[in-house]
Each structure stands twice: as structure tokens, then as C-alpha cells.
Coordinates of all heavy atoms in Angstrom, one line a residue:
M1 N 126.7 -43.7 -86.0 CA 126.8 -44.8 -86.9 C 125.6 -45.0 -87.7 O 124.5 -45.0 -87.2 CB 127.1 -46.1 -86.1 CG 127.2 -47.3 -86.9 SD 127.5 -48.8 -85.9 CE 129.2 -48.6 -85.5
V2 N 125.7 -45.1 -89.0 CA 124.6 -45.1 -89.9 C 123.7 -46.3 -89.7 O 122.5 -46.2 -89.7 CB 125.1 -45.1 -91.4 CG1 124.0 -45.3 -92.4 CG2 125.9 -43.8 -91.7
L3 N 124.3 -47.5 -89.5 CA 123.5 -48.7 -89.3 C 122.6 -48.6 -88.0 O 121.5 -49.0 -88.0 CB 124.4 -49.9 -89.2 CG 125.1 -50.3 -90.5 CD1 126.1 -51.5 -90.3 CD2 124.2 -50.5 -91.6
K4 N 123.2 -48.0 -87.0 CA 122.4 -47.9 -85.7 C 121.3 -46.9 -85.9 O 120.2 -47.1 -85.5 CB 123.4 -47.4 -84.6 CG 122.7 -47.3 -83.3 CD 123.7 -46.9 -82.2 CE 123.0 -47.0 -80.8 NZ 124.0 -46.6 -79.8
E5 N 121.6 -45.8 -86.6 CA 120.5 -44.7 -86.9 C 119.4 -45.3 -87.7 O 118.2 -44.9 -87.5 CB 121.1 -43.5 -87.6 CG 122.1 -42.7 -86.7 CD 122.9 -41.7 -87.5 OE1 122.6 -41.5 -88.7 OE2 123.7 -41.1 -86.9
R6 N 119.7 -46.2 -88.6 CA 118.6 -46.8 -89.4 C 118.0 -48.1 -88.9 O 117.2 -48.7 -89.5 CB 119.2 -47.1 -90.8 CG 119.6 -45.8 -91.5 CD 120.2 -46.0 -92.8 NE 120.6 -44.8 -93.4 CZ 120.8 -44.6 -94.7 NH1 120.8 -45.5 -95.5 NH2 121.2 -43.4 -95.1
G7 N 118.4 -48.5 -87.6 CA 117.8 -49.6 -87.0 C 118.2 -50.9 -87.6 O 117.5 -51.9 -87.6
L8 N 119.4 -51.0 -88.2 CA 119.9 -52.2 -88.9 C 120.9 -53.0 -88.2 O 121.3 -54.1 -88.6 CB 120.5 -51.8 -90.3 CG 119.5 -51.1 -91.2 CD1 120.3 -50.5 -92.4 CD2 118.4 -52.1 -91.7
T9 N 121.3 -52.6 -87.0 CA 122.4 -53.3 -86.3 C 121.9 -54.8 -85.9 O 122.8 -55.6 -85.8 CB 122.8 -52.6 -85.0 OG1 121.7 -52.3 -84.2 CG2 123.5 -51.3 -85.4
R10 N 120.6 -55.0 -85.8 CA 120.1 -56.3 -85.4 C 120.4 -57.4 -86.5 O 120.4 -58.6 -86.2 CB 118.7 -56.3 -85.1 CG 117.8 -56.0 -86.3 CD 116.3 -55.9 -85.9 NE 115.4 -55.9 -87.0 CZ 115.0 -54.8 -87.5 NH1 115.3 -53.6 -87.0 NH2 114.2 -54.8 -88.6
F11 N 120.7 -56.9 -87.7 CA 121.0 -57.9 -88.7 C 122.5 -58.3 -88.8 O 122.9 -59.1 -89.7 CB 120.6 -57.3 -90.1 CG 119.1 -57.0 -90.2 CD1 118.6 -55.7 -90.1 CD2 118.2 -58.0 -90.3 CE1 117.3 -55.4 -90.2 CE2 116.9 -57.8 -90.3 CZ 116.4 -56.5 -90.3
F12 N 123.3 -57.8 -87.9 CA 124.8 -58.0 -88.0 C 125.3 -58.6 -86.7 O 124.9 -58.2 -85.6 CB 125.5 -56.7 -88.3 CG 125.1 -56.1 -89.6 CD1 124.1 -55.2 -89.7 CD2 125.8 -56.4 -90.8 CE1 123.7 -54.7 -90.9 CE2 125.4 -55.9 -92.0 CZ 124.4 -55.0 -92.1
K13 N 126.2 -59.5 -86.8 CA 126.9 -60.0 -85.6 C 127.9 -59.0 -85.1 O 128.2 -59.0 -83.9 CB 127.6 -61.3 -85.9 CG 126.7 -62.5 -86.1 CD 127.5 -63.7 -86.3 CE 126.6 -64.9 -86.6 NZ 127.4 -66.1 -86.8
G14 N 128.5 -58.3 -86.0 CA 129.5 -57.3 -85.6 C 129.6 -56.2 -86.6 O 129.4 -56.5 -87.8
I15 N 130.0 -55.1 -86.3 CA 130.3 -54.0 -87.2 C 131.7 -53.5 -86.9 O 132.0 -53.1 -85.8 CB 129.2 -52.9 -87.0 CG1 127.8 -53.4 -87.3 CG2 129.5 -51.7 -88.0 CD1 126.7 -52.5 -86.9
F16 N 132.5 -53.5 -87.9 CA 133.9 -53.2 -87.7 C 134.4 -52.1 -88.6 O 133.8 -51.8 -89.7 CB 134.7 -54.5 -88.1 CG 134.2 -55.7 -87.3 CD1 133.3 -56.5 -87.9 CD2 134.7 -56.0 -86.1 CE1 132.8 -57.6 -87.2 CE2 134.2 -57.1 -85.4 CZ 133.3 -57.9 -86.0
G17 N 135.5 -51.5 -88.3 CA 136.1 -50.4 -89.1 C 137.5 -50.1 -88.8 O 138.2 -50.8 -88.1
S18 N 137.9 -48.9 -89.2 CA 139.3 -48.4 -89.0 C 139.6 -48.4 -87.5 O 138.8 -48.3 -86.7 CB 139.4 -47.0 -89.5 OG 139.1 -47.0 -90.9
P19 N 140.9 -48.5 -87.2 CA 142.1 -48.4 -88.1 C 142.5 -49.7 -88.7 O 143.4 -49.7 -89.5 CB 143.1 -47.8 -87.1 CG 142.8 -48.4 -85.8 CD 141.3 -48.5 -85.8
Q20 N 141.9 -50.8 -88.3 CA 142.3 -52.1 -88.8 C 142.0 -52.2 -90.3 O 141.0 -51.7 -90.8 CB 141.6 -53.2 -88.1 CG 142.2 -54.6 -88.3 CD 141.5 -55.6 -87.5 OE1 140.5 -55.4 -86.8 NE2 141.9 -56.9 -87.6
L21 N 142.9 -52.8 -91.1 CA 142.7 -53.0 -92.5 C 141.4 -53.8 -92.8 O 141.2 -54.9 -92.1 CB 143.9 -53.6 -93.2 CG 145.2 -52.8 -93.2 CD1 146.3 -53.6 -93.8 CD2 144.9 -51.6 -94.1
K22 N 140.6 -53.5 -93.8 CA 139.4 -54.2 -94.1 C 139.7 -55.6 -94.4 O 139.0 -56.5 -93.9 CB 138.7 -53.5 -95.2 CG 137.2 -53.9 -95.3 CD 136.5 -53.0 -96.3 CE 136.3 -51.7 -95.7 NZ 135.4 -50.8 -96.4
S23 N 140.7 -55.9 -95.2 CA 141.0 -57.3 -95.5 C 141.4 -58.1 -94.3 O 141.0 -59.3 -94.2 CB 142.1 -57.4 -96.6 OG 143.3 -56.8 -96.1
D24 N 142.0 -57.5 -93.3 CA 142.3 -58.2 -92.1 C 141.1 -58.4 -91.2 O 141.0 -59.5 -90.6 CB 143.4 -57.4 -91.2 CG 144.7 -57.3 -91.9 OD1 145.0 -58.1 -92.8 OD2 145.5 -56.4 -91.5
I25 N 140.2 -57.5 -91.2 CA 138.9 -57.7 -90.5 C 138.1 -58.8 -91.1 O 137.7 -59.7 -90.4 CB 138.1 -56.4 -90.5 CG1 138.7 -55.3 -89.8 CG2 136.7 -56.7 -90.0 CD1 138.1 -53.9 -90.0
V26 N 138.1 -58.9 -92.4 CA 137.3 -59.9 -93.1 C 138.0 -61.3 -92.8 O 137.3 -62.3 -92.6 CB 137.2 -59.6 -94.6 CG1 136.7 -60.8 -95.4 CG2 136.4 -58.4 -94.9
S27 N 139.3 -61.3 -92.9 CA 140.1 -62.5 -92.7 C 139.8 -63.1 -91.3 O 139.5 -64.3 -91.1 CB 141.6 -62.3 -92.9 OG 142.3 -63.5 -92.6
S28 N 139.9 -62.2 -90.3 CA 139.6 -62.6 -88.9 C 138.2 -63.2 -88.7 O 138.0 -64.2 -88.0 CB 139.8 -61.4 -87.9 OG 141.1 -61.0 -87.9
N29 N 137.2 -62.5 -89.3 CA 135.9 -62.9 -89.2 C 135.6 -64.3 -89.9 O 134.9 -65.1 -89.4 CB 134.9 -61.9 -89.7 CG 134.7 -60.8 -88.7 OD1 134.2 -61.0 -87.6 ND2 135.1 -59.6 -89.0
C30 N 136.3 -64.4 -91.1 CA 136.2 -65.7 -91.8 C 136.7 -66.8 -91.0 O 136.1 -67.9 -90.9 CB 136.9 -65.6 -93.1 SG 136.0 -64.6 -94.4
E31 N 137.9 -66.6 -90.4 CA 138.5 -67.7 -89.5 C 137.6 -68.0 -88.4 O 137.4 -69.2 -88.1 CB 139.9 -67.2 -89.0 CG 140.9 -67.2 -90.1 CD 142.3 -66.7 -89.5 OE1 142.5 -66.9 -88.3 OE2 143.0 -66.1 -90.3
R32 N 137.1 -67.0 -87.7 CA 136.2 -67.3 -86.5 C 134.9 -68.0 -87.0 O 134.6 -69.0 -86.3 CB 135.8 -66.0 -85.9 CG 135.0 -66.2 -84.6 CD 134.6 -64.9 -83.9 NE 133.7 -64.1 -84.7 CZ 134.0 -62.9 -85.3 NH1 135.1 -62.4 -85.1 NH2 133.1 -62.3 -86.0
E33 N 134.3 -67.6 -88.0 CA 133.1 -68.2 -88.5 C 133.3 -69.7 -89.0 O 132.5 -70.5 -88.8 CB 132.4 -67.4 -89.5 CG 131.8 -66.1 -88.9 CD 130.9 -66.3 -87.7 OE1 130.0 -67.2 -87.8 OE2 131.1 -65.6 -86.7
R34 N 134.5 -69.9 -89.7 CA 134.8 -71.2 -90.2 C 135.0 -72.2 -89.0 O 134.7 -73.4 -89.2 CB 135.9 -71.2 -91.2 CG 135.5 -70.6 -92.5 CD 136.6 -70.7 -93.6 NE 136.1 -70.2 -94.8 CZ 136.6 -69.2 -95.5 NH1 137.6 -68.5 -95.0 NH2 136.0 -68.8 -96.6
S35 N 135.6 -71.7 -87.9 CA 135.8 -72.6 -86.8 C 134.5 -73.0 -86.2 O 134.4 -74.0 -85.6 CB 136.7 -71.9 -85.8 OG 136.0 -70.8 -85.1
R36 N 133.4 -72.1 -86.3 CA 132.1 -72.5 -85.8 C 131.3 -73.2 -86.8 O 130.5 -74.1 -86.4 CB 131.4 -71.2 -85.4 CG 132.0 -70.4 -84.3 CD 131.2 -69.2 -84.0 NE 129.9 -69.5 -83.6 CZ 128.9 -68.6 -83.6 NH1 129.1 -67.4 -83.9 NH2 127.7 -68.9 -83.2
W37 N 131.3 -72.9 -88.1 CA 130.4 -73.4 -89.1 C 131.0 -74.3 -90.1 O 130.3 -74.7 -91.0 CB 129.6 -72.3 -89.7 CG 128.9 -71.4 -88.7 CD1 129.3 -70.2 -88.3 CD2 127.7 -71.7 -88.0 NE1 128.4 -69.7 -87.4 CE2 127.4 -70.6 -87.2 CE3 126.9 -72.8 -88.0 CZ2 126.3 -70.6 -86.3 CZ3 125.8 -72.8 -87.1 CH2 125.5 -71.7 -86.3
G38 N 132.3 -74.5 -90.1 CA 133.0 -75.3 -91.1 C 133.1 -74.5 -92.4 O 133.3 -73.3 -92.4
S39 N 132.9 -75.2 -93.5 CA 133.1 -74.6 -94.8 C 131.8 -74.0 -95.4 O 131.7 -73.9 -96.7 CB 133.7 -75.6 -95.7 OG 132.8 -76.7 -95.9
S40 N 130.9 -73.6 -94.6 CA 129.7 -73.0 -95.2 C 130.1 -71.7 -96.0 O 131.0 -71.0 -95.7 CB 128.7 -72.5 -94.1 OG 128.3 -73.6 -93.4
P41 N 129.3 -71.5 -97.1 CA 129.6 -70.3 -97.9 C 129.5 -69.0 -97.1 O 128.7 -68.9 -96.2 CB 128.6 -70.3 -99.0 CG 128.0 -71.7 -99.0 CD 128.2 -72.2 -97.6
M42 N 130.3 -68.0 -97.5 CA 130.3 -66.7 -96.8 C 130.1 -65.6 -97.9 O 130.4 -65.9 -99.0 CB 131.5 -66.4 -96.0 CG 131.7 -67.4 -94.9 SD 133.2 -66.9 -94.0 CE 133.4 -68.3 -93.0
V43 N 129.6 -64.5 -97.4 CA 129.4 -63.4 -98.4 C 129.7 -62.1 -97.6 O 129.4 -62.0 -96.4 CB 127.9 -63.4 -98.9 CG1 126.9 -63.2 -97.8 CG2 127.8 -62.3 -100.0
L44 N 130.3 -61.1 -98.3 CA 130.5 -59.8 -97.8 C 129.6 -58.9 -98.6 O 129.6 -58.9 -99.8 CB 132.0 -59.4 -97.9 CG 132.4 -58.1 -97.3 CD1 133.8 -58.2 -96.7 CD2 132.3 -56.9 -98.2
C45 N 128.8 -58.1 -97.8 CA 128.0 -57.1 -98.5 C 128.7 -55.7 -98.3 O 129.0 -55.4 -97.1 CB 126.6 -57.0 -97.8 SG 125.8 -58.6 -97.8
G46 N 128.9 -55.0 -99.4 CA 129.6 -53.7 -99.2 C 129.3 -52.8 -100.4 O 128.5 -53.1 -101.3
D47 N 129.8 -51.6 -100.2 CA 129.5 -50.5 -101.2 C 130.7 -49.8 -101.8 O 130.7 -48.8 -102.3 CB 128.6 -49.5 -100.6 CG 129.2 -48.7 -99.5 OD1 130.3 -49.1 -99.0 OD2 128.6 -47.7 -99.0
S48 N 131.9 -50.5 -101.6 CA 133.1 -49.8 -102.0 C 134.1 -50.7 -102.7 O 134.0 -51.9 -102.5 CB 133.8 -49.1 -100.8 OG 134.3 -50.1 -99.9
R49 N 135.1 -50.1 -103.3 CA 136.2 -50.9 -103.9 C 136.9 -51.7 -102.9 O 137.3 -52.9 -103.1 CB 137.2 -50.0 -104.7 CG 136.7 -49.5 -106.0 CD 137.7 -48.6 -106.6 NE 137.3 -48.2 -107.9 CZ 136.7 -47.0 -108.2 NH1 136.4 -46.2 -107.2 NH2 136.3 -46.7 -109.4
S50 N 137.1 -51.1 -101.7 CA 137.9 -51.8 -100.6 C 137.1 -53.0 -100.1 O 137.7 -54.0 -99.7 CB 138.3 -50.8 -99.5 OG 137.2 -50.2 -98.9
D51 N 135.8 -52.9 -100.1 CA 134.9 -54.0 -99.6 C 135.1 -55.1 -100.6 O 135.3 -56.3 -100.3 CB 133.5 -53.6 -99.6 CG 133.2 -52.6 -98.5 OD1 133.9 -52.6 -97.5 OD2 132.1 -51.9 -98.6
Y52 N 135.0 -54.8 -101.9 CA 135.1 -55.8 -103.0 C 136.5 -56.4 -102.9 O 136.7 -57.7 -103.0 CB 134.9 -55.1 -104.3 CG 135.1 -56.1 -105.5 CD1 134.2 -57.1 -105.7 CD2 136.1 -55.9 -106.4 CE1 134.3 -58.0 -106.8 CE2 136.3 -56.8 -107.5 CZ 135.4 -57.8 -107.7 OH 135.5 -58.7 -108.7
A53 N 137.6 -55.6 -102.7 CA 138.9 -56.1 -102.7 C 139.1 -57.1 -101.5 O 139.8 -58.1 -101.6 CB 139.9 -55.0 -102.6
A54 N 138.5 -56.7 -100.3 CA 138.6 -57.5 -99.1 C 138.0 -58.9 -99.3 O 138.5 -59.9 -98.9 CB 138.0 -56.8 -97.9
A55 N 136.8 -58.9 -100.0 CA 136.1 -60.1 -100.3 C 137.0 -61.0 -101.3 O 137.2 -62.2 -101.1 CB 134.8 -59.9 -100.9
A56 N 137.5 -60.4 -102.3 CA 138.3 -61.1 -103.3 C 139.5 -61.7 -102.7 O 139.9 -62.8 -102.9 CB 138.6 -60.2 -104.5
E57 N 140.2 -60.9 -101.8 CA 141.4 -61.3 -101.2 C 141.2 -62.5 -100.3 O 142.0 -63.4 -100.1 CB 142.0 -60.2 -100.4 CG 143.4 -60.5 -99.8 CD 144.0 -59.3 -99.1 OE1 143.9 -58.2 -99.6 OE2 144.7 -59.5 -98.0
N58 N 140.0 -62.6 -99.7 CA 139.6 -63.7 -98.8 C 138.8 -64.8 -99.5 O 138.3 -65.7 -98.8 CB 138.9 -63.1 -97.6 CG 139.8 -62.4 -96.6 OD1 140.5 -63.0 -95.8 ND2 139.9 -61.1 -96.7
R59 N 138.7 -64.6 -100.8 CA 138.0 -65.6 -101.6 C 136.6 -65.9 -101.1 O 136.2 -67.1 -101.0 CB 138.8 -66.9 -101.7 CG 140.2 -66.7 -102.3 CD 140.9 -68.0 -102.5 NE 142.3 -67.7 -102.7 CZ 143.3 -68.2 -102.1 NH1 143.2 -69.0 -101.1 NH2 144.6 -67.8 -102.4
I60 N 135.8 -64.9 -100.9 CA 134.4 -65.0 -100.5 C 133.6 -64.2 -101.5 O 134.1 -63.3 -102.1 CB 134.1 -64.6 -99.1 CG1 134.5 -63.2 -98.8 CG2 134.9 -65.5 -98.1 CD1 134.0 -62.7 -97.4
D61 N 132.3 -64.6 -101.6 CA 131.4 -63.9 -102.5 C 131.2 -62.5 -102.0 O 131.3 -62.1 -100.8 CB 130.1 -64.6 -102.6 CG 130.2 -65.9 -103.3 OD1 131.0 -66.1 -104.2 OD2 129.4 -66.8 -103.0
F62 N 130.7 -61.6 -102.9 CA 130.5 -60.2 -102.6 C 129.2 -59.8 -103.2 O 128.9 -60.1 -104.3 CB 131.6 -59.4 -103.3 CG 131.5 -57.9 -103.0 CD1 131.8 -57.3 -101.8 CD2 131.1 -57.0 -104.1 CE1 131.7 -56.0 -101.6 CE2 131.0 -55.7 -103.8 CZ 131.3 -55.1 -102.6
I63 N 128.4 -59.1 -102.4 CA 127.2 -58.4 -102.9 C 127.4 -56.9 -102.8 O 127.7 -56.3 -101.8 CB 126.0 -58.8 -102.0 CG1 125.7 -60.3 -102.1 CG2 124.7 -58.0 -102.4 CD1 124.5 -60.8 -101.2
M64 N 127.3 -56.3 -104.0 CA 127.4 -54.9 -104.1 C 126.1 -54.1 -103.7 O 125.1 -54.4 -104.3 CB 127.8 -54.5 -105.6 CG 127.9 -53.1 -105.9 SD 129.4 -52.4 -105.0 CE 129.3 -50.7 -105.6
I65 N 126.2 -53.2 -102.8 CA 125.1 -52.4 -102.4 C 125.4 -51.0 -103.0 O 126.2 -50.2 -102.5 CB 124.9 -52.3 -100.9 CG1 124.7 -53.7 -100.3 CG2 123.7 -51.4 -100.6 CD1 124.7 -53.7 -98.8
Y66 N 124.8 -50.7 -104.2 CA 125.2 -49.6 -105.0 C 124.4 -48.3 -104.7 O 124.8 -47.3 -105.2 CB 125.1 -49.9 -106.5 CG 123.8 -50.4 -107.0 CD1 122.9 -49.4 -107.5 CD2 123.5 -51.7 -107.1 CE1 121.7 -49.8 -108.0 CE2 122.3 -52.1 -107.6 CZ 121.4 -51.2 -108.0 OH 120.2 -51.6 -108.6
G67 N 123.4 -48.3 -103.9 CA 122.6 -47.1 -103.6 C 123.4 -46.2 -102.7 O 122.9 -45.0 -102.5
Y68 N 124.5 -46.6 -102.1 CA 125.2 -45.7 -101.1 C 126.6 -45.5 -101.5 O 127.4 -45.1 -100.8 CB 125.1 -46.3 -99.7 CG 123.7 -46.6 -99.3 CD1 123.1 -47.8 -99.5 CD2 123.0 -45.6 -98.7 CE1 121.8 -48.0 -99.1 CE2 121.7 -45.8 -98.3 CZ 121.1 -47.0 -98.5 OH 119.8 -47.2 -98.1
S69 N 127.0 -45.9 -102.7 CA 128.4 -46.0 -103.1 C 129.0 -44.8 -103.7 O 128.3 -44.1 -104.5 CB 128.6 -47.2 -104.0 OG 129.9 -47.4 -104.4
E70 N 130.3 -44.6 -103.4 CA 131.0 -43.6 -104.1 C 131.6 -44.2 -105.4 O 132.1 -43.5 -106.3 CB 132.2 -43.1 -103.3 CG 133.5 -43.9 -103.3 CD 133.4 -45.3 -102.7 OE1 132.5 -45.7 -102.0 OE2 134.4 -46.1 -103.0
W71 N 131.4 -45.5 -105.6 CA 131.9 -46.2 -106.8 C 130.8 -46.2 -107.8 O 130.1 -47.2 -108.1 CB 132.2 -47.6 -106.3 CG 133.0 -48.5 -107.3 CD1 133.5 -48.1 -108.5 CD2 133.3 -49.9 -107.1 NE1 134.1 -49.2 -109.0 CE2 134.0 -50.3 -108.2 CE3 133.1 -50.8 -106.1 CZ2 134.5 -51.6 -108.3 CZ3 133.6 -52.1 -106.2 CH2 134.3 -52.4 -107.3
S72 N 130.7 -45.0 -108.4 CA 129.5 -44.8 -109.3 C 129.5 -45.6 -110.6 O 128.5 -45.9 -111.2 CB 129.4 -43.3 -109.7 OG 130.6 -42.9 -110.3
N73 N 130.7 -46.0 -111.1 CA 130.7 -46.7 -112.4 C 131.1 -48.2 -112.2 O 131.7 -48.8 -113.0 CB 131.6 -46.1 -113.4 CG 133.0 -45.9 -112.8 OD1 133.3 -46.1 -111.7 ND2 134.0 -45.6 -113.7
W74 N 130.7 -48.7 -111.0 CA 131.1 -50.1 -110.6 C 130.6 -51.1 -111.6 O 131.2 -52.1 -111.9 CB 130.6 -50.4 -109.2 CG 129.1 -50.5 -109.1 CD1 128.3 -49.4 -108.7 CD2 128.3 -51.6 -109.3 NE1 127.0 -49.8 -108.7 CE2 127.0 -51.2 -109.0 CE3 128.5 -52.9 -109.6 CZ2 125.9 -52.0 -109.2 CZ3 127.4 -53.8 -109.7 CH2 126.1 -53.3 -109.5
V75 N 129.4 -50.9 -112.2 CA 128.8 -51.9 -113.1 C 129.7 -52.1 -114.3 O 129.9 -53.2 -114.8 CB 127.4 -51.4 -113.6 CG1 126.9 -52.3 -114.7 CG2 126.5 -51.3 -112.5
Y76 N 130.4 -51.0 -114.8 CA 131.2 -51.1 -116.0 C 132.6 -51.6 -115.7 O 133.2 -52.2 -116.5 CB 131.3 -49.7 -116.6 CG 129.9 -49.2 -116.9 CD1 129.4 -48.1 -116.1 CD2 129.1 -49.7 -117.9 CE1 128.1 -47.6 -116.3 CE2 127.8 -49.2 -118.1 CZ 127.3 -48.2 -117.3 OH 126.0 -47.8 -117.5
E77 N 133.1 -51.3 -114.5 CA 134.4 -51.7 -114.1 C 134.5 -53.2 -113.6 O 135.5 -53.8 -113.6 CB 135.0 -50.8 -113.0 CG 135.2 -49.4 -113.4 CD 135.7 -48.6 -112.3 OE1 136.1 -49.1 -111.2 OE2 135.8 -47.4 -112.5
S78 N 133.4 -53.7 -113.1 CA 133.5 -55.0 -112.4 C 132.6 -56.0 -113.1 O 131.7 -55.7 -113.8 CB 132.9 -54.8 -111.0 OG 133.7 -53.8 -110.3
S79 N 133.0 -57.2 -112.9 CA 132.2 -58.4 -113.4 C 132.3 -59.5 -112.3 O 133.2 -59.5 -111.5 CB 132.8 -58.8 -114.7 OG 134.1 -59.3 -114.6
G80 N 131.4 -60.4 -112.4 CA 131.4 -61.5 -111.5 C 130.7 -61.3 -110.2 O 130.7 -62.2 -109.4
F81 N 130.0 -60.2 -110.0 CA 129.2 -60.1 -108.8 C 128.1 -61.1 -108.9 O 127.4 -61.3 -109.9 CB 128.5 -58.7 -108.7 CG 129.5 -57.6 -108.4 CD1 129.4 -56.4 -109.1 CD2 130.5 -57.7 -107.5 CE1 130.2 -55.4 -108.8 CE2 131.4 -56.7 -107.2 CZ 131.2 -55.5 -107.9
E82 N 127.9 -61.9 -107.8 CA 126.8 -62.8 -107.8 C 125.4 -62.1 -107.7 O 124.4 -62.6 -108.2 CB 126.9 -63.7 -106.5 CG 128.1 -64.6 -106.6 CD 128.0 -65.7 -107.7 OE1 126.9 -66.2 -107.9 OE2 129.0 -66.0 -108.4
Y83 N 125.4 -61.0 -107.1 CA 124.2 -60.2 -106.9 C 124.6 -58.8 -106.5 O 125.6 -58.5 -106.0 CB 123.4 -60.8 -105.7 CG 122.1 -60.1 -105.4 CD1 121.0 -60.3 -106.2 CD2 122.0 -59.2 -104.4 CE1 119.8 -59.7 -106.0 CE2 120.8 -58.6 -104.1 CZ 119.7 -58.8 -104.9 OH 118.5 -58.2 -104.7
S84 N 123.7 -57.8 -106.9 CA 123.9 -56.5 -106.4 C 122.5 -56.0 -105.9 O 121.5 -56.4 -106.4 CB 124.4 -55.6 -107.6 OG 123.5 -55.6 -108.6
A85 N 122.6 -55.1 -105.0 CA 121.4 -54.5 -104.4 C 121.4 -53.0 -104.5 O 122.5 -52.4 -104.3 CB 121.3 -54.9 -102.9
R86 N 120.3 -52.4 -104.7 CA 120.3 -50.9 -104.8 C 120.3 -50.2 -103.5 O 120.7 -49.1 -103.4 CB 119.2 -50.4 -105.7 CG 117.8 -50.6 -105.1 CD 116.7 -50.1 -106.1 NE 115.4 -50.7 -105.6 CZ 115.0 -51.8 -106.0 NH1 115.6 -52.6 -106.8 NH2 113.8 -52.3 -105.5
D87 N 119.9 -50.9 -102.4 CA 119.8 -50.4 -101.1 C 119.6 -51.5 -100.1 O 119.6 -52.7 -100.5 CB 118.7 -49.3 -100.9 CG 117.3 -49.9 -101.4 OD1 117.1 -51.1 -101.2 OD2 116.5 -49.1 -101.8
F88 N 119.5 -51.2 -98.8 CA 119.4 -52.2 -97.8 C 118.1 -53.0 -97.9 O 118.1 -54.2 -97.6 CB 119.6 -51.6 -96.4 CG 121.0 -51.3 -96.0 CD1 121.4 -50.0 -95.9 CD2 122.0 -52.3 -95.9 CE1 122.7 -49.6 -95.6 CE2 123.3 -51.9 -95.6 CZ 123.6 -50.6 -95.5
E89 N 117.0 -52.4 -98.2 CA 115.8 -53.1 -98.4 C 115.9 -54.1 -99.5 O 115.4 -55.2 -99.4 CB 114.6 -52.1 -98.7 CG 114.2 -51.3 -97.5 CD 113.7 -52.1 -96.3 OE1 113.0 -53.1 -96.6 OE2 114.1 -51.8 -95.2
D90 N 116.5 -53.8 -100.6 CA 116.7 -54.7 -101.7 C 117.6 -55.9 -101.2 O 117.3 -57.1 -101.5 CB 117.4 -54.0 -102.8 CG 117.3 -54.7 -104.2 OD1 116.4 -55.5 -104.3 OD2 118.2 -54.5 -105.0
L91 N 118.6 -55.6 -100.4 CA 119.4 -56.7 -99.8 C 118.6 -57.6 -98.9 O 118.7 -58.8 -99.0 CB 120.6 -56.1 -99.1 CG 121.6 -57.1 -98.4 CD1 122.2 -57.9 -99.5 CD2 122.6 -56.3 -97.6
L92 N 117.8 -57.0 -98.0 CA 117.0 -57.8 -97.1 C 116.0 -58.7 -97.9 O 115.8 -59.9 -97.5 CB 116.2 -56.9 -96.2 CG 117.1 -56.2 -95.1 CD1 116.3 -55.2 -94.3 CD2 117.9 -57.2 -94.3
E93 N 115.5 -58.2 -99.0 CA 114.6 -59.0 -99.8 C 115.3 -60.2 -100.4 O 114.7 -61.3 -100.5 CB 114.0 -58.1 -100.9 CG 112.9 -58.8 -101.7 CD 111.7 -59.2 -100.9 OE1 111.3 -58.5 -99.9 OE2 111.0 -60.2 -101.2
F94 N 116.5 -60.0 -100.8 CA 117.3 -61.1 -101.4 C 117.5 -62.2 -100.3 O 117.3 -63.4 -100.7 CB 118.7 -60.5 -101.8 CG 119.7 -61.6 -102.2 CD1 119.6 -62.3 -103.4 CD2 120.7 -62.0 -101.3 CE1 120.5 -63.2 -103.8 CE2 121.6 -63.0 -101.6 CZ 121.5 -63.6 -102.9
F95 N 117.8 -61.8 -99.1 CA 118.0 -62.9 -98.1 C 116.7 -63.5 -97.6 O 116.7 -64.6 -97.1 CB 118.7 -62.3 -96.9 CG 120.2 -62.1 -97.2 CD1 120.8 -60.9 -97.3 CD2 121.0 -63.2 -97.4 CE1 122.1 -60.7 -97.5 CE2 122.4 -63.1 -97.6 CZ 122.9 -61.9 -97.7
R96 N 115.6 -62.8 -97.8 CA 114.3 -63.4 -97.4 C 113.8 -64.5 -98.3 O 113.1 -65.4 -98.0 CB 113.2 -62.3 -97.3 CG 113.3 -61.4 -96.1 CD 112.2 -60.4 -96.1 NE 112.4 -59.4 -95.1 CZ 112.5 -58.1 -95.3 NH1 112.3 -57.6 -96.5 NH2 112.7 -57.2 -94.4
N97 N 114.3 -64.4 -99.6 CA 113.9 -65.3 -100.6 C 114.8 -66.5 -100.8 O 115.7 -66.8 -100.4 CB 113.7 -64.6 -102.0 CG 112.6 -63.6 -102.0 OD1 111.6 -63.9 -101.4 ND2 112.8 -62.5 -102.6

């Protein structure tokens, strides 16, 4: 697992993937977190069209991490990103500030 190899798992409550649909994973996590925290804002950090679609389907903000993406022309195809990060360090800097 890439996040484990890079020592990043400590920054996440959970890491999820196939075979469950991404939008279903996001929906389940949103429901669980809203039951704990109420209507606090949520954000999904991702690097793919399916990440962006899952965030949009669940009506949460999305941060594009473009340093690892197969979505090479995302800047031109997409609008409305609140923030984008070129890599994980850039993302961590965003949350520190």
C-alpha cells in the first residue's frame, strides 16, 4: 500500500478501496462522521475522476492532488476546486495553515 510505504497512514482514520464503489465508501464515511460531528464541513482528497465524482455525488468539497494523477488535463476539464495540491507535502502544508 502506497500510503503505508510513505509513512502517511497516521494522517487517515481509514483507507478504503475496491470492490466497494467509491461513492458508496464516501457516503458511508460521511454518514458515520456526521453522526459524530454534526454538520461540520467535509473534504475528500483525491487524484482521480472517480474521487472527484464521489465527492460531487456526496456534496462535499474536493481537493485535487495532481502530482500522482492519471488525470493529466484536469485543470482544463474541471472548475470549482477549492484547492489543489501538487503532492502530499503540499496538501499537509495546506492543513497546517
Side-chain angles (χ1 to χ4, degrees):
M1 173 182 289
V2 173
L3 295 176
K4 186 175 183 179
E5 290 170 5
R6 295 181 183 195
L8 298 170
T9 56
R10 69 181 188 266
F11 297 109
F12 299 89
K13 287 184 182 182
I15 300 168
F16 309 93
S18 297
Q20 192 176 4
L21 293 174
K22 197 169 289 190
S23 59
D24 292 343
I25 294 168
V26 172
S27 178
S28 296
N29 281 296
C30 286
E31 286 178 31
R32 185 181 65 247
E33 293 305 315
R34 284 189 177 117
S35 71
R36 293 179 62 198
W37 303 105
S39 61
S40 295
M42 295 185 194
V43 63
L44 187 142
C45 304
D47 66 351
S48 68
R49 285 181 176 92
S50 61
D51 293 336
Y52 178 68
E57 186 174 322
N58 286 280
R59 297 185 195 129
I60 61 173
D61 290 332
F62 180 73
I63 295 177
M64 177 67 177
I65 304 173
Y66 59 88
Y68 303 94
S69 182
E70 87 291 348
W71 192 2
S72 60
N73 57 346
W74 66 270
V75 172
Y76 306 107
E77 292 180 11
S78 304
S79 61
F81 291 137
E82 293 294 322
Y83 181 76
S84 61
R86 72 181 160 271
D87 54 30
F88 286 111
E89 287 300 318
D90 198 23
L91 179 63
L92 293 175
E93 187 62 31
F94 171 76
F95 284 111
R96 286 183 190 124
N97 293 323

